[in-house]
Amino acid sequence: MSQKQLNFTEGYEELEKIVNDFESRELDLEKDLPQFERGMELAQKLQKRLKEIENKVTEINSKFNKSNDET
């Protein structure tokens, strides 16, 4: 994924495919190293993206709770 923002669902599905592939067969450490690295990269990006989404949800909740308090 390039500089654009990671789509959480697409990234998660890609990571899930990597994990399923690893679980379904015997690993070849040298051959599978790039795929393992991609999986780790995705996991890190997904964790960061999830935190951004959680922060946005908190911000939205706070905004609407403030609005309800004022009415």
Side-chain angles (χ1 to χ4, degrees):
M1 311 230 149
S2 63
Q3 294 287 30
K4 70 176 189 158
Q5 193 171 44
L6 175 70
N7 178 293
F8 189 85
T9 302
E10 291 172 5
Y12 185 81
E13 287 172 355
E14 183 181 349
L15 180 59
E16 201 169 45
K17 285 179 188 175
I18 292 170
V19 170
N20 288 336
D21 181 46
F22 282 168
E23 290 178 341
S24 69
R25 62 183 174 80
E26 211 169 299
L27 298 178
D28 177 339
L29 291 177
E30 289 186 36
K31 182 181 134 251
D32 292 326
L33 200 54
Q35 190 175 12
F36 175 76
E37 184 176 16
R38 176 64 181 154
M40 294 298 291
E41 178 184 286
L42 276 170
Q44 183 179 38
K45 287 181 178 182
L46 287 168
Q47 188 174 33
K48 180 181 177 200
R49 184 68 183 124
L50 183 59
K51 187 67 177 164
E52 291 169 355
I53 293 168
E54 288 173 343
N55 289 341
K56 186 65 178 175
V57 167
T58 299
E59 182 183 311
I60 292 168
N61 279 333
S62 175
K63 176 180 161 184
F64 282 96
N65 285 337
K66 235 185 229 182
S67 294
N68 288 338
D69 291 343
E70 293 173 359
T71 57

